[in-house]
Amino acid sequence: MLIHDENPLLTEDADQIVNGLINEFELNSRQARALKVIAYHKISQSTEQLMMIVAGPGGTGKSRVIAAVTSLFSKLNCSESLKRSAPTGIAAYAIKGTTLHS
């Protein structure tokens, strides 16, 4: 269970950390928006589950967004609460997730 003392975003500037991830993963504006939705939902410590689909044709950076989100959850010491899935085995393997029917 995540406690406040272990959450870096509660003791550091949240925007600085999120913007650092945006720069590190070279996210475009739409990718950055997706990361911010997820990051600020997690930072808010909402008890409601956020379910979000990152969709688009091949080569649009979906895996890059998922890698940035994975890094965020790692920085928050709560990687175990992030679940990743994809429609095909190849896509699931690429994001270290499971297929949707698993």
Side-chain angles (χ1 to χ4, degrees):
M1 179 165 174
L2 181 67
I3 58 173
H4 291 285
D5 294 339
E6 295 175 349
N7 187 334
L9 292 180
L10 296 177
T11 59
E12 297 179 29
D13 182 20
D15 289 327
Q16 182 180 8
I17 291 174
V18 172
N19 287 331
L21 287 170
I22 290 168
N23 292 329
E24 177 183 346
F25 289 92
E26 300 177 348
L27 302 181
N28 65 33
S29 61
R30 294 179 82 183
Q31 293 166 327
R33 188 174 354 147
L35 176 65
K36 287 179 180 180
V37 166
I38 296 165
Y40 294 124
H41 181 271
K42 189 65 180 170
I43 292 165
S44 75
Q45 304 251 334
S46 173
T47 57
E48 289 187 33
Q49 181 180 15
L50 174 66
M51 291 185 279
M52 186 171 181
I53 295 173
V54 179
T60 58
K62 298 177 297 291
S63 295
R64 186 179 303 237
V65 172
I66 293 168
V69 170
T70 301
S71 181
L72 171 70
F73 275 63
S74 178
K75 290 178 186 293
L76 294 175
N77 302 314
C78 61
S79 296
E80 71 286 345
S81 68
L82 177 64
K83 305 300 179 215
R84 299 172 300 253
S85 63
T88 67
I90 293 171
Y93 179 80
I95 63 168
K96 298 181 178 118
T98 60
T99 57
L100 294 174
H101 69 276
S102 295

